[in-house]
Amino acid sequence: MDASEVDALRIAALAAFSAATDSGDLEQARIDHLGRRSPLALAQKQLGGLTDEERRRVGALLNELKTAITEAFDARHLELGSVELSQRLASERLDLTGPARRIRPGRPHLLTQVEAEIVDVFLGMGFSVAEGPEVESGRFNFDLLNIPPDHPARGTMDTIYVDEDADIVLRTHTSPVQVRTMLAQQPPIAVVCPGRVYRADAVDATHSPVFTQVEGLLVAEGITMAHLRGTLLAFAKALFGDDREVRLRPSFFPFTEPSAEVDVSFESASGWLEILGSGMVDPAVLAGCGIDPERYSGFAFGIGVERVAMLRHGVADIRDLYDADARFLAAF
Amino acid sequence: MRLPLSWLTSMVDVDLPLSDLVERLSASGLEVEGVTTPGGGVAGVRTARVLHHEPHPDADTLRLVDVTGPDGDGQVRVVCGAANFDVGDVVLHAAVGASIPGMTLEARTIRGQVSNGMLASARELGLGDDHTGILVLGADVPLGALLDELVPIGEPVIEIAVQPDRGDHLSIRGVARELAALLDTSLRGTLDLAARPSAAGADVSLETDAVGAFIAWTLEGVAVRRSPLWLRTRLAQCGVRAIDGVVDVTNYVMLELGQPLHAFDLDRVAGGRLRVCAAAGGEQLRTLDGVDRTLVADDLVIHDAEGPASLAGVMGGERTEVHAGTTRILLEGAVWEPASIRRTSRRLGLVSEASTRFERRVDPEAAAEAVARAAELMRVTADARATAATSVAGTTGAWLARPRVVASAGRIASLLALDLDADAQAGLLRRAGCEVVVEGGSLDVLPPSWRGDLERPADLAEEVARLHGFAHIPAELPPLVARGGRSPLQRLEQSLRVAVLAHGFDEIVTRPFVGTDATAGVLPSHGRVRLANPLAQDAAAMRPGLLDGLLATLRRNRGQGRAGMAVMELGRIHRPVDDLLGSALDGLLGEGWRWQGPDGQALPLQPRALGLAAFGARMGPGWLDERSGWQVEDVLAAIDEVARRADVGPLARRPIERDGWHPGRTVALLLHGVEVGIAGQLHPQASEAWDLPEPVVAGELLLEVLLQPRSDAAAEAAAAPRLVRHPAVVVDVAVVAPDVCSVAEIVEVLRGSAGALLDEIRWFDEFRGAQLPDGHRSVAFRLRLQDPDRQLSDTDADDVLARIGAAVSAIGASLRT
């Protein structure tokens, strides 16, 4: 084999690589020109039959040839690979500006969110959560809270009864949970009582026969009205913003004395909005629940979750909270 | 209670702008509900005498009237639609250029006749509701006088909400007293009172303990006529209808002093004597509102010789009512027991101005003064002469007692966190009318007769704080008294909610009432916790399950054109005490989950439950996927995850047939063999009844069983698994099984036979076709084999295949190769 033959092989191989337009063609060209049955491979196999001198000369030529063809192949391979990758990437374009169509996790109800937020404020102050039944004994819902049998609030105009004779009611507040807690344990007591409560109110934009309360009770030695104010101020700041103030106004509740309505400063006509009722636990309530009012004092408060939710989120109609329109649910 | 400003300030000096006064009242517990100005806008309306009137020539219902002009003389022509006046009457003329609320008058031509202004009715002037005719005044009024100079029309009237324990705020004088205490001043002015006649009056016998005092004066020479303008104005400002010079005075004095009064026509009181007693029950009494009422044994009544004449403290009787011809009056002022009045008022649904005051307790020492005050005013308004008086002291029952209250000033100061010593507290209480003796650090207090609410040291504490100002109470966080936080089970409940939300269900809150029917869910029964006084027939009972609220929500949203929705609710369901649900849960939980009343009596069952329901297409913000609708699997997946998080799951499933559910697509969910849940697809007829497109899928789980304390190991912290590092061998098997073999059964067999090397097993395909025998399917599973201590070989996989091959053949199935 002489130099011109080797040159012809080189030219043929390079031409084949250049002619290849995709990696399949190129692979076939590689097999044709570098494979085990290629002229180059066959020539190398025949080297053994040559004289030593010839073998050295032709061997060197063939090695040169192989190096040249391999380099040409590698170059072309790289070139074609890069083109093909670009083509593939171009063909794989996805429009990711569209909506992400996978399971959308559901949302907790606004009342659940606000209730949890309120409860969390008090948990941070060392309160626990206490729960109780919604169908409740009148003794827990009324009597032990200083609401005597002939009290107007116990009438069927205000209270929904399950059994009037047995005095079983739909609880009108979560205060019976406070009662159950005090009957079950001695102070110190610090609990919040979230849950649904019921009143005999027909459904309209501002009334609902069922609504949600978070009540709180703290009983220990040396609890004062300043502690009540401080606790509710912390609540108001947490729920409505750090710039809030609270105002206590004298009021009347059978189960607290002194009693206070609590207003939070707001961008309203008067500058204040009534948020909740509160007071120092009436000594008669403590005594009735087996707690010594001479030794212990405490405060209690009741927050309407609907009211907080409506104020904070601009919900104009309380029915929206219970009618579960998907558009409403998705907003929170 | 409405408080005309000039009436209030006639009794107490208030040196504050109106807005400050309102603020001060609200900050002191007299919540101001509003300030109105009845008759505001009246200007240029003058008194005038009717000189002449004649029918309108072209209108039957109109009159042409000539009245005197602005100077009390002259003559002005107006057209008037009323006919309740005659020549000589004094009326109110709004002339051209004058104003009444809402309009300024101009000369108008009415059916061809020019009207120079109008003659005004009470309603047109904001002086009450009367629009049956024009307002006719007494003859003693000067002519040409401006109405707004005669009476304080258009002045501010403050309306306050009265606290239930502060009946003393239900009068002008009561609020004036309150202001005097708040502003540290005293009441001013004196009231004109009639002298008490010395002659003995009507014979009155008290036969009940529910009356504290009974005063009855005899008034003679009475001429019943219209009340004077100033009195009518006051009543109108307070929202009380004017009737005549007798009844109006009783109402006026009630507003002024807080003591309700009643005037009997003495000539209609049979026998001329009164007996105060509890009704026997069954008597009939027609009250002043014209309603016939049947009395019960508890009602307090005032009897004359003929029977009940008045429902004591609530409303008088029609038979003895004052009328135009009345000449003799028995004027009664009594003090009734609050609880008794409250019972009667509530039973009859009859709330009057009188009952409102008696219920909240009236000043027991003010009745005599009120009667004397009314007698004096009736002298003016009805020419009444007081000729005789009866005054009977009633019971001295506990409800009248006015005990001294002894309190520690130090305890009051520390409860309020206010730096007020005993003398400072005594000073505040004295402003409220209390007699106070300070002895060392102790206060010995005798509250005034009008304050029934000051009975205990806590009441004194509130009064001290109120008069000192709640605003002075500092804000301070309480010392941390307890280790707080949610309990593990409360945290679990939150986590279970999150698990369901993560499956795409939105949480809803529904009103937990149902009508007579309810969709059968878990452990259904016909038991209902019925309401004694439901608000509506479709809300007659508490929900026995959660499905109706969920399905109604889906229906409502479907009605809004929504293509699909998935919702969940977490709440209590309600069943009667003896419901079968109770025994089922008792078996799992013991009886600790049941709620009891104070003496251990059982309350209705009210376990917590989880409900889910979905229909239609999945969607999210900006997209809708109609090819991937909500399926039963979605409900099952959510419930499985809930059970796993509570360490009891997944729950076993058993196909069931239940009313309202698809017979082939519904399973009961079992815990220790007890049904605790249900999941499936609604029956096509149920879907149709709810106006929902099929499939509607739903589920219900008694969450209570997961949220009660458990003693078993599952309640302990989960242990971390050992992660094997040797490579796993993956084997796919296809099990050809007859349809009677459930997937759950096949998995159980695979799990039981694969041996210790089995790490996990996953369903990945299911196939039916001609290649398989009829009634058979091929279910494919991927098994992952791993050994913690060595690398596995093909032989290990072959061993496993051989074992499970043998095992599935035992249930009539085979491995497909």
Side-chain angles (χ1 to χ4, degrees):
Chain A
M1 180 169 276
D2 60 20
S4 66
E5 283 174 296
V6 168
D7 218 30
L9 284 179
R10 186 176 60 80
I11 289 166
L14 265 54
F17 292 160
S18 291
T21 55
D22 62 36
S23 48
D25 288 352
L26 183 62
E27 178 62 11
Q28 189 55 54
R30 186 191 65 77
I31 291 164
D32 291 348
H33 297 280
L34 284 170
R36 280 192 289 184
R37 293 193 188 84
S38 64
L40 172 62
L42 294 175
Q44 283 177 319
K45 277 184 189 154
Q46 288 162 6
L47 283 176
L50 299 180
T51 63
D52 286 354
E53 189 188 346
E54 271 293 285
R55 192 164 64 238
R56 269 195 300 277
R57 186 185 63 82
V58 176
L61 278 177
L62 289 178
N63 279 342
E64 253 175 65
L65 174 65
K66 184 169 186 181
T67 306
I69 297 179
T70 303
E71 278 174 4
F73 170 80
D74 286 346
R76 184 61 179 160
H77 182 73
L78 208 61
E79 199 176 285
L80 276 183
S82 149
V83 168
E84 283 183 3
L85 186 59
S86 303
Q87 284 169 348
R88 183 190 134 198
L89 293 177
S91 74
E92 286 178 352
R93 181 178 295 278
L94 290 181
D95 182 356
L96 294 180
T97 64
R101 293 175 297 119
R102 280 295 179 267
I103 287 184
R104 178 192 68 92
R107 302 267 178 106
H109 193 273
L110 178 61
L111 289 173
T112 301
Q113 297 182 40
V114 174
E115 178 191 304
E117 212 177 319
I118 293 171
V119 167
D120 281 348
V121 173
F122 296 104
L123 295 182
M125 292 190 232
F127 285 72
S128 308
V129 178
E131 294 161 285
E134 292 172 16
V135 181
E136 183 57 284
S137 136
R139 193 161 156 72
F140 287 153
N141 193 76
F142 294 123
D143 296 80
L144 285 167
L145 291 160
N146 232 7
I147 305 172
D150 65 346
H151 192 281
R154 295 180 77 152
T156 51
M157 295 293 288
D158 292 320
T159 298
I160 302 176
Y161 278 83
V162 167
D163 186 336
E164 274 191 272
D165 295 332
D167 200 18
I168 304 293
V169 303
L170 302 189
R171 66 179 179 192
T172 59
H173 42 193
T174 60
S175 307
V177 184
Q178 299 185 24
V179 169
R180 288 173 176 273
T181 305
M182 288 190 281
L183 287 169
Q185 90 180 78
Q186 280 294 304
I189 293 171
V191 291
V192 282
C193 315
R196 305 266 179 256
V197 300
Y198 301 85
R199 303 271 168 93
D201 284 326
V203 176
D204 66 22
T206 53
H207 294 87
S208 174
V210 53
F211 57 100
T212 317
Q213 272 194 326
V214 176
E215 291 197 354
L217 171 74
L218 189 148
V219 182
E221 287 183 45
I223 296 301
T224 73
M225 220 161 158
H227 295 141
L228 168 66
R229 190 189 193 116
T231 302
L232 295 178
L233 179 61
F235 156 75
K237 285 177 185 287
L239 266 286
F240 295 101
D242 263 338
D243 54 344
R244 301 296 167 162
E245 296 294 328
V246 294
R247 176 173 78 168
L248 304 188
R249 278 184 296 110
S251 188
F252 174 80
F253 304 110
F255 30 87
T256 50
E257 187 81 17
S259 302
E261 295 281 0
V262 180
D263 300 339
V264 173
S265 57
F266 238 90
E267 298 77 21
S268 67
S270 72
W272 298 95
L273 271 181
E274 188 177 317
I275 291 287
L276 58 92
S278 69
M280 303 305 291
V281 183
D282 196 291
V285 171
L286 291 177
C289 293
I291 291 173
D292 179 6
E294 295 296 315
R295 179 171 170 200
Y296 298 107
S297 56
F299 64 75
F301 56 86
I303 301 165
V305 178
E306 280 79 359
R307 181 159 173 78
V308 173
M310 291 171 81
L311 279 176
R312 212 175 57 168
H313 299 278
V315 180
D317 190 326
I318 196 170
R319 287 172 289 204
D320 290 346
L321 291 167
Y322 287 89
D323 285 349
D325 189 291
R327 294 162 293 183
F328 187 86
L329 301 179
F332 304 104
Chain B
M1 178 72 199
R2 298 189 201 181
L3 310 163
L5 190 61
S6 64
W7 201 354
L8 191 59
T9 54
S10 73
M11 295 198 188
V12 62
D13 283 321
V14 178
D15 195 14
L16 293 173
L18 179 66
S19 58
D20 290 5
L21 173 61
V22 164
E23 178 71 29
R24 189 63 189 261
L25 287 169
S26 281
S28 307
L30 293 82
E31 190 178 350
V32 174
E33 298 194 311
V35 178
T36 55
T37 51
V42 169
V45 176
R46 293 176 187 271
T47 55
R49 185 183 306 283
V50 176
L51 300 170
H52 163 83
H53 65 80
E54 63 186 63
H56 188 295
D58 298 316
D60 292 345
T61 58
L62 297 179
R63 277 177 171 184
L64 305 180
V65 188
D66 293 324
V67 296
T68 51
D71 298 325
D73 50 19
Q75 188 165 326
V76 183
R77 164 63 59 95
V78 290
V79 179
C80 180
N84 65 322
F85 59 92
D86 214 331
V87 172
D89 281 348
V90 177
V91 297
L92 287 162
H93 176 215
V96 172
S99 306
I100 62 171
M103 78 185 279
T104 298
L105 289 134
E106 295 168 4
R108 280 176 63 206
T109 303
I110 301 171
R111 299 270 178 115
Q113 300 288 326
V114 174
S115 183
N116 298 292
M118 65 184 279
L119 304 182
S121 72
R123 191 168 79 190
E124 284 160 342
L125 294 168
L127 283 176
D129 291 334
D130 191 3
H131 194 54
T132 56
I134 60 169
L135 194 54
V136 178
L137 308 181
D140 53 339
V141 180
L143 294 185
L146 285 165
L147 173 63
D148 45 332
E149 289 180 1
L150 287 176
V151 290
I153 190 171
E155 70 167 326
V157 176
I158 302 168
E159 180 159 13
I160 59 164
V162 174
Q163 303 290 356
D165 64 337
R166 292 305 301 271
D168 61 308
H169 287 161
L170 284 168
S171 70
I172 303 293
R173 183 166 70 181
V175 176
R177 266 190 193 126
E178 181 68 53
L179 276 171
L182 289 170
L183 304 173
D184 197 10
T185 178
S186 46
L187 288 184
R188 68 188 178 91
T190 50
L191 298 171
D192 293 333
L193 305 178
R196 184 178 192 277
S198 49
D203 185 9
V204 176
S205 62
L206 305 186
E207 298 170 13
T208 167
D209 282 341
V211 56
F214 195 99
I215 318 289
W217 285 20
T218 305
L219 307 184
E220 304 201 29
V222 173
V224 176
R225 59 173 180 265
R226 191 188 308 276
S227 294
L229 182 61
W230 65 267
L231 177 47
R232 297 164 64 96
T233 303
R234 284 297 189 222
L235 296 182
Q237 288 175 318
C238 293
V240 175
R241 194 163 57 94
I243 295 169
D244 60 46
V246 172
V247 174
D248 291 353
V249 164
T250 61
N251 284 329
Y252 179 89
V253 173
M254 175 182 70
L255 295 170
E256 184 179 49
L257 303 180
Q259 169 68 49
L261 300 170
H262 183 63
F264 295 90
D265 182 327
L266 187 52
D267 291 318
R268 290 183 170 185
V269 174
R273 60 186 295 272
L274 298 177
R275 194 162 64 85
V276 179
C277 57
E283 302 101 313
Q284 290 280 326
L285 171 65
R286 177 173 292 182
T287 43
L288 288 175
D289 53 6
V291 178
D292 287 318
R293 303 185 185 271
T294 305
L295 305 180
V296 299
D298 202 27
D299 296 329
L300 282 179
V301 285
I302 301 175
H303 269 267
D304 63 6
E306 267 186 33
S310 172
L311 195 53
V314 179
M315 194 171 276
E318 200 177 85
R319 178 167 59 82
T320 53
E321 183 179 10
V322 170
H323 58 105
T326 297
T327 58
R328 296 204 310 146
I329 285 172
L330 191 66
L331 178 61
E332 170 231 310
V335 177
W336 305 106
E337 181 188 28
S340 170
I341 301 301
R342 191 179 304 138
R343 276 195 301 275
T344 299
S345 164
R346 235 170 81 186
R347 184 181 66 77
L348 296 171
L350 177 57
V351 177
S352 63
E353 292 278 346
S355 70
T356 300
R357 286 171 174 78
F358 286 122
E359 269 186 23
R360 288 170 171 75
R361 184 187 183 277
V362 298
D363 180 354
E365 293 177 14
E369 180 191 23
V371 171
R373 173 69 173 154
E376 169 61 17
L377 291 173
M378 285 182 198
R379 184 182 64 77
V380 176
T381 63
D383 305 335
R385 279 180 296 111
T387 56
T390 297
S391 176
V392 188
T395 179
T396 53
W399 60 274
L400 272 173
R402 188 159 59 112
R404 301 191 74 89
V405 187
V406 177
S408 151
R411 287 201 56 157
I412 288 177
S414 63
L415 183 75
L416 302 175
L418 288 174
D419 187 16
L420 294 172
D421 64 17
D423 287 329
Q425 292 179 28
L428 290 166
L429 292 169
R430 286 187 190 113
R431 272 160 54 179
C434 295
E435 291 170 23
V436 188
V437 179
V438 179
E439 286 172 2
S442 159
L443 304 170
D444 185 344
V445 179
L446 180 66
S449 60
W450 58 85
R451 290 295 295 270
D453 61 316
L454 300 179
E455 298 176 313
R456 305 164 308 156
D459 304 328
L460 299 183
E462 178 172 81
E463 190 66 4
V464 165
R466 212 172 58 81
L467 292 176
H468 184 63
F470 271 30
H472 293 109
I473 294 169
E476 186 187 323
L477 281 177
L480 204 59
V481 297
R483 180 179 57 83
R486 287 190 169 85
S487 71
L489 288 171
Q490 287 165 345
R491 286 199 302 274
L492 174 62
E493 184 174 349
Q494 290 190 310
S495 150
L496 300 187
R497 171 187 281 114
V498 170
V500 180
L501 297 178
H503 284 77
F505 292 82
D506 274 314
E507 187 185 23
I508 62 169
V509 177
T510 65
R511 301 178 193 93
F513 308 115
V514 295
T516 44
D517 284 339
T519 302
V522 61
L523 296 173
S525 81
H526 294 293
R528 295 283 183 276
V529 176
R530 290 182 194 283
L531 303 176
N533 54 329
L535 293 163
Q537 274 320 302
D538 61 359
M542 297 303 281
R543 61 184 175 200
L546 292 169
L547 294 169
D548 293 275
L550 293 160
L551 293 169
T553 297
L554 296 186
R555 175 167 58 189
R556 226 174 5 252
N557 281 279
R558 161 86 172 157
Q560 290 284 317
R562 201 168 168 86
M565 191 179 191
V567 290
M568 64 87 101
E569 182 166 16
L570 212 160
R572 294 191 185 277
I573 61 172
H574 302 266
R575 303 279 180 92
V577 174
D578 54 1
D579 195 85
L580 61 92
L581 185 149
S583 45
L585 261 58
D586 286 347
L588 290 169
L589 301 170
E591 294 191 355
W593 66 280
R594 289 170 178 261
W595 292 102
Q596 294 183 335
D599 305 313
Q601 75 270 37
L603 292 173
L605 309 180
Q606 31 201 325
R608 284 165 287 187
L610 163 70
L612 307 103
F615 83 97
R618 287 176 194 279
M619 59 177 89
W623 60 270
L624 164 69
D625 190 349
E626 290 195 304
R627 284 167 306 181
S628 156
W630 291 97
Q631 303 293 334
V632 183
E633 281 83 356
D634 296 303
V635 174
L636 288 168
I639 291 179
D640 279 352
E641 178 59 15
V642 163
R644 262 187 227 107
R645 288 204 190 191
D647 259 330
V648 298
L651 300 168
R653 297 178 195 159
R654 184 174 64 208
I656 50 161
E657 293 187 12
R658 182 152 295 167
D659 278 355
W661 296 77
H662 192 303
R665 296 191 173 182
T666 303
V667 288
L669 304 165
L670 312 175
L671 180 63
H672 304 313
V674 177
E675 176 177 325
V676 296
I678 184 173
Q681 183 176 326
L682 289 202
H683 195 282
Q685 290 164 346
S687 300
E688 194 184 340
W690 284 102
D691 299 324
L692 290 167
E694 289 188 73
V696 178
V697 296
E700 192 176 29
L701 180 66
L702 290 171
L703 224 47
E704 194 71 41
V705 299
L706 310 184
L707 295 175
Q708 286 292 324
R710 298 213 310 275
S711 55
D712 54 19
E716 288 171 11
R722 182 176 168 199
L723 301 179
V724 176
R725 297 291 196 278
H726 290 291
V729 171
V730 171
V731 182
D732 287 351
V733 297
V735 181
V736 177
D739 287 341
V740 291
C741 287
S742 67
V743 170
E745 203 177 339
I746 299 169
V747 169
E748 202 178 322
V749 168
L750 295 182
R751 214 182 275 290
S753 58
L757 297 181
L758 184 66
D759 177 48
E760 59 180 37
I761 181 167
R762 288 175 195 274
W763 177 102
F764 73 89
D765 196 15
E766 192 168 314
F767 169 78
R768 283 174 197 280
Q771 305 95 309
L772 299 176
D774 252 6
H776 282 62
R777 58 181 169 165
S778 167
V779 192
F781 298 91
R782 178 159 298 171
L783 277 46
R784 193 169 179 279
L785 309 177
Q786 214 170 24
D787 189 299
D789 301 320
R790 65 185 177 92
Q791 189 161 345
L792 300 185
S793 67
D794 287 351
T795 328
D796 294 304
D798 291 343
D799 286 350
V800 168
L801 283 174
R803 278 202 303 276
I804 62 179
V808 296
S809 67
I811 58 166
S814 59
L815 286 191
R816 184 154 158 263
T817 46

